Amino acid sequence: KHSSWKAGIMAVQVLLALPAFSQTAPSLKEILDSALVIDQPLQNKELSVELSKIDQERIKDAYLPRVELDAKGGYLYSAFNLTSPAFALPSLGLALPEQTTNYRLSGFVVTTNAKASVLLYGGGEVSNLKKANQAKINAETALLEKDKQEIISQTLTAYDQLGMLKAVKKVLDGAEKRLQENKMTAEKAFSYGMITAYELKKIELAQSQLQAKQREYEGKRRLVLLQLHVLTHIETERLELLDVNLETIATEKQVSADRKPELQALTYAVQAHQYQLKAAKTWWIPKVGASASLGYAGLLNGNLQSKDPMLLTGKPLDYRFDDLHIVPLVNAGIGLKWTVFDGKEGISSVKKAKIDLKIAENNQRDAQEKLDLNLRKTEIEMQISEDQLAEKDKAKEIAGNAMKQASEEFKIGLIKSTQLIEAENDLQQSEMEYAQAIFNQRRAATAYLKAAGNLNVEQVEK
């Protein structure tokens, strides 16, 4: 009994511990991966790539045999005239004049046919279209990377906002502690008549303003958590456990924007138009195919009648037959289709393909220049953000020393509470600006990596 009681206690402890293990804060990698997985516009573009892959399979299938089977049945009625020439048999003393007779044929007709055909040579059109479509798939896949980098940037901004809010909370908590200590000093000084009631109220006003900032912080944090939940679909309870410490993002020098997804997509677009031009130029090349068919034709309950009497019998023809079968009907061979003149349609297609190619090449060159310029721009902006961070760090240190000095001088009555509050506000402002400078450096570094086409989960986790 004692051992079973201990086992029961351990089971209860394990069950109570399970929620604690399940409610863990997500890592940055989990947050970014979740944002990439649940983004519906990205999913739709991935589906578009799958549709292009289906088109690729359809182009490849151009050389597969086509097999068709058809069967038909219906009632047949036909009328026709047949003229028999005049002829004579002198030995028999028989002479037959020319005669035109009207005949009518009726009955039920049944036909079946199985046909197989295959393209043997497409003049180079199929192979070029296949290469053009593959280049299109590569371009669409490259643009997927562009969207992924945009999602990473957007989600990382929300994540960094949590880190900045944590820094704000630290500033507010430090200010609250200092104001509480200085208020105790002020109250003691007021009791001795060393300061006025106005000076004491100034410290109380500063505390009230600080409480308003605390409430503002709580509201902003709830909004950022809600935004992260929408971006990632991670439970809000887990996101609330995040403890984000902002640090600068170290980046290596990016030489060129060649890895930029947009530029890669334009390069593939040029390739696609080159192959489309080659495909258009094949309009005049003969296409060769082979085909074979096996068929059956039957006439059921047939009736052949003539309107006029027959010469030999003197009576109208009325011949009935139950079944007439024609089988097999076999046809096999190789065919050639050569478009000698298509009303200048092929020539117009070539001209259009040349213009489309020229447009794609112009877009590629224009994008190369602009993306290289943007890379240099983001590099300069990142350097500026790092310089500003160093300045804000120095200003924070100066403001911290000034606050310490002001607190000591306030205690011995050398300065008034208004001067103390000014020093406190300066310190808060410098600490806020330092946190903002770290946030700005991370934004500038993210933009720099994205401008080079190197923004990914691994880079921002370093």
Side-chain angles (χ1 to χ4, degrees), residues 388-398 430 433-434 437:
Q388 290 177 342
L389 178 60
E391 293 175 3
K392 298 301 180 183
D393 186 28
K394 185 177 180 180
K396 180 171 72 74
E397 181 182 358
I398 294 173
S430 65
E433 289 179 352
Y434 177 73

Side-chain angles (χ1 to χ4, degrees), residues 215-228:
R215 290 191 293 271
E216 183 183 2
Y217 153 80
E218 294 294 341
K220 288 183 176 180
R221 190 171 191 275
R222 286 195 298 270
L223 286 176
V224 173
L225 288 173
L226 178 60
Q227 183 185 10
L228 267 181

Side-chain angles (χ1 to χ4, degrees), residues 402-422:
M403 183 64 208
K404 290 179 183 178
Q405 184 67 29
S407 296
E408 294 296 329
E409 291 179 357
F410 179 71
K411 288 178 182 179
I412 59 177
L414 293 178
I415 62 173
K416 296 182 178 182
S417 61
T418 54
Q419 294 171 303
L420 178 67
I421 298 303
E422 288 179 2

Side-chain angles (χ1 to χ4, degrees), residues 123 275-285 346 349-350 353-354:
Y275 288 121
Q276 286 173 352
L277 176 58
K278 291 180 180 180
K281 289 180 177 180
T282 65
W283 68 271
W284 61 274
I285 300 178
S349 297
V350 172
K354 287 181 178 179

Side-chain angles (χ1 to χ4, degrees), residues 35 62-63 71 73-74 117 128 133 149 159 187-188 250 274 314 334 348 365 425 433 436:
Y63 287 105
S117 59
N128 284 310
N133 194 69
Q149 292 189 15
Y159 178 84
E187 288 175 342
K188 185 179 291 186
Q274 288 173 342
I334 295 177
S348 298
R365 285 191 291 268
N425 290 337
E433 289 179 352
Q436 182 69 50

